[in-house]
Amino acid sequence: TVTMATKVGELTVMVVGDSISHGREGDFTWRYRIWEWFCQANIAVRFVGPYAGTVPPEEPTPPRPPPLASEPPSRGSFRSGGGYAKGVSPAFLHDNSHHFSASGRQAMQAKGLVAEQIAAFQPDLCLVQLGFNDLAWWVSGPRDTLGSIRTLVEQARSAKPNLKFAIANVPHRTFLSNHADLCAKTDEYNALLAKAVPGWSTTGSPVALVKFCENYSCGEHHSEAAYDGLHPNALGEYELAQAFSRTLLADFNLGHHELSIPATIPPRLVPTPSNLKATSAPSGVVVTWDAVYGAFWYDLRVRLAGFDDWTTCYVPSSRYDTTFCVNGQRWEYQVRTRAGDTVKSSWSAVVSAIARPETLPAPAHIVTHATSDGFLVSWDPPAEPRRVDRYGVLSHDSDISGAFPAIVGIKGSGGRVGGLVSGHHYDIAVQTWNAAGGGLPGGARAVRVGKGVPLPPMRLQISVIDKTTAELRWRGDPAAAGYRVWARGIERLARSFKERELSHVPATAAATKSESLVGKVLLTNLYPSVWDFEYAVSAYNGNDESDISQWIIAPPSVIENDSIRIGLDYTRDTEDADA
């Protein structure tokens, strides 16, 4: 136990953290709650650091054209000018809201930044809360994240050898389907940190562990203390501050008792947005409303007039643009305020506007070819090229749950998109941009990155459902991004029917097991009947396509009492001539 002076001079404290410590506009933050604890313990304290606010809401702006490869990447400026909850003490705002926490920051990044800040502000005590972003977003594993925290301590000491540290472990968050091993990685890191921290102390620079994870009411299947499954709500702010207070009391002899969590915590109030307006615009329809202080985001419901069902969108600012629309369509909107998964206002009244877009149509004849790390894409040049500013090539990784579409700007009539994941399936579309904005995208053939021309589908099998409906199954190829299903009239019954495409079937998850290679499609409206056609399938990867498979006919059947008695499924396979 190290005794720190609490009577003579001020204790200077720097919080080094990520979004959990930074907070969002309208939060009290756990930094405020630990400052209150210091004040209640009559400890003269001053919080230091280069920032003084929370993360402000995004500014409402119109859609921006996708950047070209020749243009410098847009680097959003660091934002920390957001305000705190209305009940925060003026004394905190005046001189104690300073910190060194940034939303999204990793320990991997902070270790190279901390020495400069310690040298500038010379704190006595460093409260460190980092590591989640390293583990959750595949920056580094448990051991390398521990190494980053160790380096952070060493770098901070290089600027002030007698600096003291209280280091929090990493909390659990609710389950992420695309990161099922996060809980195990968090447990491994926390165990390594608990074992390592005692060995990091020196005579003048003690290091103590803060059991944040154990004190935080949030886990894989519950989030009482988190507003979104990770970030602290009003209860979570108290729980994190309490975890730090326990370490400061036990290891640094600061305070008289640990921070107490109130039995009743006032709810966060979020009013319904006001002044909702929908306006026709050259881009389509623009929807705006008055920003609500303390809103984390907004839910916006949108639908075409005359339809019953709404589509609900997440909107980070007080503006929404309907851009993928057709001239003359009337769109309807409602909005509500959100401050987390459960804190929400009532819905606003409905407003509407008619879309009057002045955007251009998508280019014609879009062609794609997979490459080792992406794809080549081309299209026909427009009739009036002077009206076109650029094209936006959209790609969506359908093998990653929750992935957002990416967009790349291209001049001319095609280009190359790289940096994608080999083996993954990407859906592709292209839109035209002019002065009014981006028009409706045109679809292109999907690609399987890093793969070539797929093999023809094998082992076709057809099951008759009723007189005009059948299900077709086949064994596919891992190189396929999709399949085309073909039908043609059986010559002896329907010579007039020509070979035609019936359906597109996407190949979704990357196929690594035999059962993943099975494709299927339900064929309907096969008039006069399913027995008047024979069927085949081809596989494609972009515009590189296999030969058509062998053709297959439906199994024989008999009609009894107006019902169909189906015979055995019929399979045809080049590998099994007797099937």
Side-chain angles (χ1 to χ4, degrees):
T1 298
V2 177
T3 301
M4 299 177 66
T6 59
K7 298 293 184 182
V8 179
E10 287 182 319
L11 173 68
T12 53
V13 178
M14 179 181 287
V15 176
V16 181
D18 53 32
S19 56
I20 292 173
S21 298
H22 198 172
R24 298 184 66 165
E25 185 167 270
D27 285 345
F28 281 95
T29 73
W30 76 265
R31 295 181 284 106
Y32 176 71
R33 296 307 181 191
I34 198 71
W35 173 81
E36 285 187 314
W37 176 81
F38 277 116
C39 294
Q40 292 164 2
N42 294 319
I43 299 173
V45 66
R46 182 165 55 91
F47 281 72
V48 297
Y51 317 135
T54 61
V55 178
E58 292 190 18
E59 292 295 327
T61 57
R64 296 181 176 88
L68 304 171
S70 59
E71 296 174 339
S74 76
R75 299 178 180 272
S77 58
F78 177 72
R79 301 183 308 129
S80 188
Y84 293 83
K86 295 296 178 69
V88 164
S89 167
F92 176 79
L93 297 175
H94 181 259
D95 203 30
N96 280 285
S97 62
H98 291 86
H99 61 92
F100 184 46
S101 302
S103 181
R105 181 159 289 166
Q106 309 148 13
M108 179 76 76
Q109 297 168 321
K111 68 182 182 182
L113 305 173
V114 69
E116 180 182 359
Q117 301 302 328
I118 299 299
F121 294 99
Q122 291 293 300
D124 302 310
L125 172 65
C126 225
L127 307 183
V128 181
Q129 174 278 306
L130 287 167
F132 176 83
N133 292 314
D134 302 74
L135 299 173
W137 310 125
W138 298 279
V139 175
S140 58
R143 292 189 179 277
D144 286 340
T145 301
L146 182 72
S148 292
I149 295 294
R150 172 73 182 261
T151 301
L152 183 146
V153 170
E154 293 169 347
Q155 289 296 308
R157 276 189 185 136
S158 70
K160 188 173 184 182
N162 63 342
L163 182 61
K164 301 167 180 63
F165 299 86
I167 301 177
N169 58 15
V170 171
H172 285 301
R173 69 145 296 146
T174 49
F175 181 74
L176 292 173
S177 59
N178 63 338
H179 204 336
D181 62 342
L182 178 57
C183 181
K185 288 168 63 176
T186 301
D187 285 339
E188 181 183 352
Y189 168 76
N190 288 346
L192 290 170
L193 183 69
K195 184 176 181 180
V197 159
W200 291 352
S201 292
T202 66
T203 302
S205 177
V207 183
L209 178 69
V210 177
K211 295 183 178 180
F212 174 25
C213 183
E214 294 83 345
N215 204 55
Y216 196 47
S217 303
C218 184
E220 282 200 286
H221 306 293
H222 65 99
S223 60
E224 293 86 351
Y227 66 76
D228 62 352
L230 173 66
H231 298 91
N233 58 22
L235 170 62
E237 291 169 347
Y238 275 111
E239 288 186 348
L240 181 49
Q242 184 185 65
F244 271 97
S245 75
R246 287 173 172 166
T247 295
L248 297 179
L249 178 66
D251 293 271
F252 298 107
N253 198 28
L254 284 170
H256 311 294
H257 51 75
E258 67 181 44
L259 183 147
S260 297
I261 298 176
T264 303
I265 299 175
R268 187 175 186 133
L269 302 177
V270 286
T272 301
S274 59
N275 199 27
L276 177 65
K277 296 178 181 178
T279 309
S280 300
S283 59
V285 177
V286 176
V287 187
T288 59
W289 56 92
D290 291 343
V292 175
Y293 186 84
F296 291 168
W297 68 85
Y298 303 90
D299 290 335
L300 184 122
R301 296 206 297 195
V302 56
R303 69 182 177 190
L304 277 170
F307 288 80
D308 293 329
D309 294 334
W310 294 93
T311 297
T312 302
C313 311
Y314 159 91
V315 183
S317 71
S318 56
R319 172 176 172 146
Y320 178 82
D321 291 76
T322 298
T323 55
F324 296 170
C325 53
V326 175
N327 187 54
Q329 292 177 328
R330 179 174 287 278
W331 291 86
E332 296 179 332
Y333 306 90
Q334 282 184 296
V335 68
R336 70 181 176 189
T337 309
R338 292 293 291 267
D341 294 336
T342 59
V343 179
K344 53 195 174 186
S345 74
S346 58
W347 287 102
S348 70
V350 177
V351 298
S352 68
I354 296 176
R356 302 293 186 196
E358 299 174 13
T359 54
L360 298 176
H365 304 116
I366 305 169
V367 174
T368 58
H369 297 281
T371 65
S372 60
D373 69 339
F375 58 90
L376 297 172
V377 59
S378 62
W379 50 83
D380 287 353
E384 300 181 64
R386 287 179 297 179
R387 297 179 59 198
V388 176
D389 174 64
R390 69 190 67 192
Y391 296 91
V393 178
L394 298 104
S395 59
H396 174 255
D397 188 339
S398 62
D399 289 340
I400 296 181
S401 175
F404 288 99
I407 184 167
V408 175
I410 290 179
K411 294 271 193 180
S413 299
R416 183 186 188 99
V417 176
L420 306 185
V421 181
S422 181
H424 281 212
H425 174 285
Y426 286 84
D427 298 309
I428 300 167
V430 182
Q431 62 174 167
T432 308
W433 281 76
N434 65 354
L440 279 167
R445 291 274 192 94
V447 299
R448 182 77 69 183
V449 173
K451 305 295 182 180
V453 181
L455 296 172
M458 308 290 288
R459 298 189 59 81
L460 267 67
Q461 181 173 329
I462 186 168
S463 301
V464 178
I465 309 300
D466 58 38
K467 184 178 179 180
T468 60
T469 309
E471 183 181 74
L472 194 65
R473 291 174 176 265
W474 61 88
R475 178 66 54 84
D477 182 353
Y483 301 91
R484 293 209 289 169
V485 179
W486 302 87
R488 67 185 181 189
I490 297 176
E491 287 189 14
R492 61 186 174 82
L493 296 175
R495 291 179 180 274
S496 60
F497 287 107
K498 296 182 179 180
E499 180 177 301
R500 70 185 192 274
E501 182 184 344
L502 284 183
S503 178
H504 260 298
V505 184
T508 50
T512 54
K513 299 180 180 178
S514 60
E515 56 266 32
S516 309
L517 297 173
V518 175
K520 67 177 181 178
V521 64
L522 186 68
L523 304 176
T524 60
N525 300 318
L526 298 170
Y527 293 104
S529 77
V530 295
W531 298 280
D532 292 312
F533 304 94
E534 54 183 347
Y535 309 90
V537 182
S538 60
Y540 64 83
N541 183 15
N543 283 79
D544 297 311
E545 188 162 0
S546 74
D547 293 332
I548 291 179
S549 68
Q550 286 191 303
W551 293 86
I552 187 172
I553 60 174
S557 63
V558 230
I559 299 179
E560 294 181 348
N561 300 324
D562 295 327
S563 63
I564 299 174
R565 191 176 71 207
I566 308 298
L568 294 174
D569 290 346
Y570 185 82
T571 304
R572 191 169 183 178
D573 189 348
T574 55
E575 295 178 327
D576 185 1
D578 297 327

PDB file of all heavy atoms in Angstrom, residues 12-24:
ATOM      1  N   THR A  12      -3.173  15.343  -9.072  1.00  0.00           N
ATOM      2  CA  THR A  12      -3.540  15.467 -10.485  1.00  0.00           C
ATOM      3  C   THR A  12      -3.741  14.073 -11.092  1.00  0.00           C
ATOM      4  O   THR A  12      -2.920  13.171 -10.888  1.00  0.00           O
ATOM      5  CB  THR A  12      -2.467  16.221 -11.277  1.00  0.00           C
ATOM      6  OG1 THR A  12      -1.194  15.613 -11.052  1.00  0.00           O
ATOM      7  CG2 THR A  12      -2.421  17.677 -10.859  1.00  0.00           C
ATOM      8  N   VAL A  13      -4.832  13.934 -11.800  1.00  0.00           N
ATOM      9  CA  VAL A  13      -5.254  12.634 -12.321  1.00  0.00           C
ATOM     10  C   VAL A  13      -5.485  12.742 -13.825  1.00  0.00           C
ATOM     11  O   VAL A  13      -6.118  13.689 -14.293  1.00  0.00           O
ATOM     12  CB  VAL A  13      -6.562  12.177 -11.625  1.00  0.00           C
ATOM     13  CG1 VAL A  13      -7.036  10.842 -12.208  1.00  0.00           C
ATOM     14  CG2 VAL A  13      -6.370  12.080 -10.121  1.00  0.00           C
ATOM     15  N   MET A  14      -4.984  11.750 -14.578  1.00  0.00           N
ATOM     16  CA  MET A  14      -5.273  11.675 -16.011  1.00  0.00           C
ATOM     17  C   MET A  14      -5.970  10.349 -16.306  1.00  0.00           C
ATOM     18  O   MET A  14      -5.454   9.281 -15.971  1.00  0.00           O
ATOM     19  CB  MET A  14      -4.004  11.774 -16.854  1.00  0.00           C
ATOM     20  CG  MET A  14      -4.289  11.676 -18.370  1.00  0.00           C
ATOM     21  SD  MET A  14      -2.811  11.768 -19.406  1.00  0.00           S
ATOM     22  CE  MET A  14      -2.404  13.499 -19.259  1.00  0.00           C
ATOM     23  N   VAL A  15      -7.142  10.436 -16.938  1.00  0.00           N
ATOM     24  CA  VAL A  15      -7.859   9.243 -17.393  1.00  0.00           C
ATOM     25  C   VAL A  15      -7.428   8.951 -18.821  1.00  0.00           C
ATOM     26  O   VAL A  15      -7.556   9.800 -19.703  1.00  0.00           O
ATOM     27  CB  VAL A  15      -9.384   9.448 -17.324  1.00  0.00           C
ATOM     28  CG1 VAL A  15     -10.115   8.233 -17.889  1.00  0.00           C
ATOM     29  CG2 VAL A  15      -9.824   9.715 -15.884  1.00  0.00           C
ATOM     30  N   VAL A  16      -6.910   7.746 -19.057  1.00  0.00           N
ATOM     31  CA  VAL A  16      -6.474   7.309 -20.387  1.00  0.00           C
ATOM     32  C   VAL A  16      -7.416   6.183 -20.806  1.00  0.00           C
ATOM     33  O   VAL A  16      -7.385   5.099 -20.224  1.00  0.00           O
ATOM     34  CB  VAL A  16      -5.020   6.819 -20.368  1.00  0.00           C
ATOM     35  CG1 VAL A  16      -4.587   6.401 -21.769  1.00  0.00           C
ATOM     36  CG2 VAL A  16      -4.095   7.889 -19.811  1.00  0.00           C
ATOM     37  N   GLY A  17      -8.261   6.438 -21.797  1.00  0.00           N
ATOM     38  CA  GLY A  17      -9.258   5.438 -22.133  1.00  0.00           C
ATOM     39  C   GLY A  17      -9.767   5.520 -23.551  1.00  0.00           C
ATOM     40  O   GLY A  17      -9.248   6.254 -24.390  1.00  0.00           O
ATOM     41  N   ASP A  18     -10.824   4.743 -23.803  1.00  0.00           N
ATOM     42  CA  ASP A  18     -11.481   4.724 -25.109  1.00  0.00           C
ATOM     43  C   ASP A  18     -12.885   5.292 -24.950  1.00  0.00           C
ATOM     44  O   ASP A  18     -13.125   6.138 -24.086  1.00  0.00           O
ATOM     45  CB  ASP A  18     -11.482   3.304 -25.686  1.00  0.00           C
ATOM     46  CG  ASP A  18     -12.065   2.265 -24.731  1.00  0.00           C
ATOM     47  OD1 ASP A  18     -12.970   2.619 -23.944  1.00  0.00           O
ATOM     48  OD2 ASP A  18     -11.640   1.092 -24.774  1.00  0.00           O
ATOM     49  N   SER A  19     -13.838   4.849 -25.773  1.00  0.00           N
ATOM     50  CA  SER A  19     -15.189   5.415 -25.741  1.00  0.00           C
ATOM     51  C   SER A  19     -15.895   5.180 -24.418  1.00  0.00           C
ATOM     52  O   SER A  19     -16.774   5.953 -24.028  1.00  0.00           O
ATOM     53  CB  SER A  19     -16.027   4.827 -26.880  1.00  0.00           C
ATOM     54  OG  SER A  19     -16.046   3.412 -26.818  1.00  0.00           O
ATOM     55  N   ILE A  20     -15.536   4.130 -23.701  1.00  0.00           N
ATOM     56  CA  ILE A  20     -16.150   3.859 -22.401  1.00  0.00           C
ATOM     57  C   ILE A  20     -15.846   4.993 -21.433  1.00  0.00           C
ATOM     58  O   ILE A  20     -16.668   5.343 -20.580  1.00  0.00           O
ATOM     59  CB  ILE A  20     -15.646   2.504 -21.861  1.00  0.00           C
ATOM     60  CG1 ILE A  20     -16.202   1.361 -22.731  1.00  0.00           C
ATOM     61  CG2 ILE A  20     -16.027   2.302 -20.406  1.00  0.00           C
ATOM     62  CD1 ILE A  20     -15.630  -0.001 -22.394  1.00  0.00           C
ATOM     63  N   SER A  21     -14.681   5.588 -21.549  1.00  0.00           N
ATOM     64  CA  SER A  21     -14.294   6.714 -20.697  1.00  0.00           C
ATOM     65  C   SER A  21     -14.614   8.058 -21.329  1.00  0.00           C
ATOM     66  O   SER A  21     -14.856   9.037 -20.621  1.00  0.00           O
ATOM     67  CB  SER A  21     -12.789   6.653 -20.396  1.00  0.00           C
ATOM     68  OG  SER A  21     -12.458   5.486 -19.691  1.00  0.00           O
ATOM     69  N   HIS A  22     -14.591   8.119 -22.653  1.00  0.00           N
ATOM     70  CA  HIS A  22     -14.854   9.379 -23.344  1.00  0.00           C
ATOM     71  C   HIS A  22     -16.294   9.827 -23.103  1.00  0.00           C
ATOM     72  O   HIS A  22     -16.551  10.968 -22.730  1.00  0.00           O
ATOM     73  CB  HIS A  22     -14.587   9.190 -24.834  1.00  0.00           C
ATOM     74  CG  HIS A  22     -14.395  10.460 -25.575  1.00  0.00           C
ATOM     75  ND1 HIS A  22     -13.987  10.505 -26.886  1.00  0.00           N
ATOM     76  CD2 HIS A  22     -14.559  11.761 -25.219  1.00  0.00           C
ATOM     77  CE1 HIS A  22     -13.899  11.753 -27.282  1.00  0.00           C
ATOM     78  NE2 HIS A  22     -14.244  12.538 -26.288  1.00  0.00           N
ATOM     79  N   GLY A  23     -17.246   8.909 -23.330  1.00  0.00           N
ATOM     80  CA  GLY A  23     -18.654   9.253 -23.154  1.00  0.00           C
ATOM     81  C   GLY A  23     -19.245   9.950 -24.361  1.00  0.00           C
ATOM     82  O   GLY A  23     -18.521  10.425 -25.249  1.00  0.00           O
ATOM     83  N   ARG A  24     -20.583  10.014 -24.390  1.00  0.00           N
ATOM     84  CA  ARG A  24     -21.291  10.694 -25.468  1.00  0.00           C
ATOM     85  C   ARG A  24     -22.079  11.862 -24.909  1.00  0.00           C
ATOM     86  O   ARG A  24     -22.388  11.903 -23.716  1.00  0.00           O
ATOM     87  CB  ARG A  24     -22.225   9.714 -26.188  1.00  0.00           C
ATOM     88  CG  ARG A  24     -21.470   8.571 -26.836  1.00  0.00           C
ATOM     89  CD  ARG A  24     -22.388   7.671 -27.604  1.00  0.00           C
ATOM     90  NE  ARG A  24     -22.989   8.337 -28.762  1.00  0.00           N
ATOM     91  CZ  ARG A  24     -23.602   7.693 -29.753  1.00  0.00           C
ATOM     92  NH1 ARG A  24     -23.679   6.380 -29.730  1.00  0.00           N
ATOM     93  NH2 ARG A  24     -24.126   8.358 -30.761  1.00  0.00           N
TER      94      ARG A  24
END
